[in-house]
Amino acid sequence: MTLGKSFINGAANSVERSLRSCILQDPSLSLIASEKVLYRRTDQIKDKVILVSGGGSGHEPAHAGYIGEGALDVVVAGEIFASPSASQILTGLQTVKSSKGYAHDCLESSVQLISGRSLMIVKNYTGDKLNFGLAAEKAKADGQKVEMVIVGDDVSVEGNTLVGQRGLAGTVFCHKIAGAKAAQGASLEQVATITRRAASQMATVAASLDRCSVPGRATQETLPHDQLEFGMGIHNEPGVKREEITSLEVTVEKALSMMFAPKAGMWQPGKGQRVALMVNNLGGLSVLEIGVVADEVVKQLAPRGIHIERSLVGTFITSLDGPGFSVTLLSLDDELTNLLDAPTTAPAWPRSIHGWATDAESVSKRETIVPVAKANSRETGVKVPTSLVKVLIESVARTTTRDEPKITGYDTLAGDGDCGETLLNGVTGTSPASLVKEFENDSAVSLDIGQVFRRTATTAERSMGGTSGAIYAIFLNAVANRLLELTTESPSLTVSEFIQQALQSGLDELCRYTPARIGHRTLMDALIPFVKNYSLDGSLRAALAEARKGAESTRQMVAALGRASYVGQDRFDEEGGIPDPGALGVVSILEGLCDGLDTRAN
């Protein structure tokens, strides 16, 4: 796969510059750029065990995002996906030393300490273990007391007892627990013990749609478009199994099944377990998507009898822009819960986990159901055959389904790419609010014409949303209102005459709410000529022809309104002129209406 676009033209100096941004944001931090060591200034550290962590870069916000009071004190960064060297780590250990009741910056002081106390939290990767281990031995030779906790929470890897489980997002839990315990003034042995206990009773499993994009790498392996992987690590390495993409529900179920399957020597969550849940974005998912994933995870954990007492949803440890997620469960007791809840200034730790029970039952109690406001039920008394309404809707469904790819394609070039999808969702969408669903169960012989327009307006409002949904809803509601008035003012009009006058009134009302007019490159370029021509002679085909002309005329227009107005004109010129997608949507609907009437007539 070709390297994904990046503002970083190669990886040179990117780690140092990223670390430098941390000290720009937090005046309590200092940086040894040559060694990629980020640390808290010693005037910020009071009588505590020093916590050191780190590893390869590309996992941001880990590890620098977890420096702060009640969390880490020193972070040592390697290059992207590469362990820092032992000499870098040793610099970190020597930069901030601590003994009971005493802390100082040894780079700025000649004071000698009898025994510095440091705990290193290390993910279970060979390079990290070797380099942190070598640094620890050198520090011990220098008189420091150093303990190391290895975190291996990846339950997807089994069968290789030599390397064990990889360290993944559960490492963040260890950072927080160790930081809170150290902030209490606990001894090195006490901090190490509680951190090891946490590391031994957690599990993480991950799923991803593809590899991440590494700056400076020209090509890389990629997954087929219809496949995903389970159990990959955070260094762009392959997963343990590859499967076809089906649905989020199936993906989450398979991921959780891997976590709950018994494995020798690995912690396994059980029914009735109190846990902290972390749903982690591996870097490439939108905030919306990771929220949907989290909702599905909580939904599926409930029938397994898991009690979620704390939850974290967001980006905590990444694989650059990896398009995937991981799920971590940490077994809780009162002590671990209190340590998670303890305050911290670490910027990447969320501020809102305290006191929230997030199991499905607790969440459902906080959800409020508001009755949908009833639509205006007043009728005009003018009836149209229900069969005709259904024929017209079916015909519009065919034309909009046919035209959606073209409309979406144009909107991708000139807007945000959702115009065709939004239109089709309003007509044929799976939600109960779509036009097809709205009328498919009507069994009456005839329907009130005003209610047909009003129900169609409600459908546009609920299922389309956005600007186009509001425009259609205002227009159709105004038409329905005018039809109601006309049946009182001019009861002798024919159905066609009712509609002619009502459409013009609806357009006039719509123009009170939008500045869009002919020439502004919007759906109004098709809607206005259609209404004006139909209101004059009642010929639907002739009015459709004018709407087509209006839509076609937008090819060479400069957009004055809507998202297309933010797009450079050269983008339109490159394509030889792009018609407005909204105007094409109006034409697609009108073609469906004309075809439906022709079918009915024949």
Side-chain angles (χ1 to χ4, degrees):
M1 182 176 84
T2 304
L3 175 68
K5 288 184 178 180
S6 173
F7 288 107
I8 303 173
N9 297 319
N13 299 321
S14 59
V15 175
E16 293 94 322
R17 298 189 69 179
S18 178
L19 292 174
R20 189 173 294 115
S21 74
C22 296
I23 64 173
L24 296 176
Q25 300 173 65
D26 187 346
S28 72
L29 301 182
S30 294
L31 172 67
I32 306 174
S34 62
E35 301 302 303
K36 304 182 185 67
V37 173
L38 186 68
Y39 64 98
R40 296 176 66 206
R41 293 203 323 270
T42 54
D43 59 339
Q44 305 292 318
I45 302 173
K46 308 297 182 184
D47 188 20
K48 64 181 288 294
V49 171
I50 299 302
L51 300 181
V52 182
S53 190
S57 296
H59 307 306
E60 291 72 20
H63 301 82
Y66 302 104
I67 286 188
E69 185 177 347
L72 300 177
D73 302 298
V74 182
V75 161
V76 188
E79 293 296 336
I80 293 175
F81 297 162
S83 171
S85 67
S87 61
Q88 287 178 259
I89 299 164
L90 184 60
T91 299
L93 286 169
Q94 293 175 337
T95 297
V96 182
K97 293 182 180 179
S98 172
S99 65
K100 198 67 175 176
Y102 191 81
H104 80 288
D105 188 330
C106 73
L107 293 185
E108 299 176 357
S109 171
S110 60
V111 177
Q112 296 296 313
L113 290 177
I114 297 174
S115 59
R117 290 175 170 83
S118 300
L119 174 67
M120 300 193 302
I121 301 171
V122 182
K123 297 186 298 299
N124 187 30
Y125 291 96
T126 302
D128 287 347
K129 288 171 63 179
L130 291 175
N131 283 295
F132 275 88
L134 177 56
E137 292 305 312
K138 289 183 176 182
K140 290 175 184 177
D142 193 35
Q144 292 193 56
K145 288 188 176 180
V146 181
E147 290 275 359
M148 185 163 68
V149 173
I150 304 296
V151 183
D153 52 314
D154 179 10
V155 297
S156 64
V157 177
E158 58 179 322
N160 191 335
T161 57
L162 291 178
V163 297
Q165 300 164 250
R166 295 172 294 193
L168 299 177
T171 309
V172 175
F173 278 137
C174 291
H175 290 162
K176 180 61 177 66
I177 288 166
K181 190 68 175 179
Q184 294 175 353
S187 68
L188 176 59
E189 292 73 17
Q190 290 171 326
V191 177
T193 297
I194 192 70
T195 307
R196 287 194 181 99
R197 178 152 66 87
S200 69
Q201 54 192 52
M202 66 171 68
T204 297
V205 66
S208 185
L209 300 170
D210 209 341
R211 304 282 189 269
C212 67
S213 180
V214 182
R217 189 172 296 175
T219 59
Q220 61 188 32
E221 183 187 2
T222 184
L223 270 66
H225 188 70
D226 61 346
Q227 293 186 7
L228 56 75
E229 279 187 335
F230 292 98
M232 68 292 145
I234 53 174
H235 299 95
N236 223 20
E237 65 267 46
V240 297
K241 64 177 179 178
R242 185 180 294 187
E243 295 190 5
E244 288 189 1
I245 298 173
T246 52
S247 67
L248 174 63
E249 292 78 7
V250 172
T251 299
V252 169
E253 192 279 327
K254 289 184 176 181
L256 292 181
S257 293
M258 294 175 68
M259 180 180 288
F260 281 79
K263 297 180 179 69
M266 298 184 189
W267 176 80
Q268 177 190 354
K271 192 170 185 178
Q273 192 89 52
R274 299 168 56 193
V275 302
L277 164 69
M278 178 188 293
V279 181
N280 173 57
N281 183 357
L282 286 170
L285 301 187
S286 67
V287 175
L288 184 148
E289 190 167 8
I290 196 66
V292 175
V293 171
D295 182 67
E296 184 61 31
V297 169
V298 171
K299 178 181 176 182
Q300 292 197 25
L301 284 175
R304 293 178 181 268
I306 299 299
H307 297 296
I308 307 170
E309 295 194 356
R310 299 293 183 270
S311 68
L312 296 80
V313 179
T315 304
F316 304 104
I317 186 166
T318 64
S319 181
L320 289 171
D321 60 352
F325 67 89
S326 64
V327 178
T328 303
L329 294 181
L330 165 67
S331 178
L332 290 180
D333 53 30
D334 290 345
E335 182 180 17
L336 289 177
T337 302
N338 290 334
L339 293 173
L340 287 181
D341 289 345
T344 179
T345 60
W349 183 260
R351 302 291 187 261
S352 59
I353 73 163
H354 180 69
W356 287 100
T358 52
D359 58 278
E361 182 180 357
S362 297
V363 170
S364 66
K365 290 178 181 178
R366 296 197 297 270
E367 291 183 350
T368 302
I369 299 175
V370 179
V372 177
K374 292 183 178 180
N376 187 325
S377 60
R378 295 173 62 193
E379 296 191 352
T380 64
V382 178
K383 302 290 185 177
V384 291
T386 303
S387 58
L388 172 60
V389 173
K390 291 185 176 182
V391 166
L392 294 179
I393 291 173
E394 290 169 1
S395 183
V396 170
R398 284 192 293 271
T399 55
T400 52
T401 299
R402 177 198 68 198
D403 296 336
E404 182 274 325
K406 175 178 64 177
I407 296 171
T408 297
Y410 281 133
D411 196 42
T412 300
L413 296 172
D416 55 7
D418 69 345
C419 185
E421 296 169 353
T422 299
L423 174 64
L424 191 59
N425 190 57
V427 178
T428 67
T430 57
S431 73
S434 73
L435 193 60
V436 170
K437 296 286 186 182
E438 174 67 26
F439 288 94
E440 67 179 357
N441 294 322
D442 278 293
S443 57
V445 175
S446 61
L447 297 171
D448 183 86
I449 191 170
Q451 285 301 309
V452 170
F453 276 94
R454 202 173 299 283
R455 289 167 64 183
T456 303
T458 301
T459 297
E461 177 187 351
R462 292 181 182 172
S463 62
M464 293 180 68
T467 301
S468 58
I471 287 176
Y472 283 122
I474 290 172
F475 174 65
L476 294 169
N477 267 311
V479 170
N481 291 339
R482 183 55 180 157
L483 285 170
L484 197 62
E485 295 170 351
L486 285 171
T487 54
T488 301
E489 297 173 4
S490 308
S492 60
L493 293 176
T494 65
V495 172
S496 178
E497 290 170 336
F498 272 127
I499 295 176
Q500 283 176 258
Q501 292 193 31
L503 287 179
Q504 184 59 57
S505 180
L507 179 61
D508 293 341
E509 190 69 14
L510 174 60
C511 287
R512 293 181 55 216
Y513 294 96
T514 175
R517 300 292 187 271
I518 290 176
H520 287 167
R521 189 184 163 79
T522 69
L523 65 80
M524 300 292 276
D525 285 289
L527 182 62
I528 291 175
F530 166 76
V531 171
K532 286 187 174 180
N533 282 272
Y534 183 72
S535 297
L536 288 174
D537 62 16
S539 171
L540 193 60
R541 281 288 177 188
L544 170 59
E546 293 302 314
R548 282 200 189 101
K549 290 179 184 177
E552 184 62 25
S553 70
T554 62
R555 281 186 182 273
Q556 305 304 326
M557 289 182 186
V558 176
L561 296 168
R563 288 185 174 88
S565 63
Y566 309 131
V567 180
Q569 186 59 34
D570 57 344
R571 188 75 178 91
F572 296 99
D573 295 339
E574 287 176 10
E575 300 295 329
I578 300 172
D580 180 70
L584 293 180
V586 171
V587 171
S588 183
I589 292 171
L590 296 176
E591 287 180 344
L593 293 174
C594 287
D595 292 348
L597 288 173
D598 290 345
T599 300
R600 180 75 173 183
N602 296 328

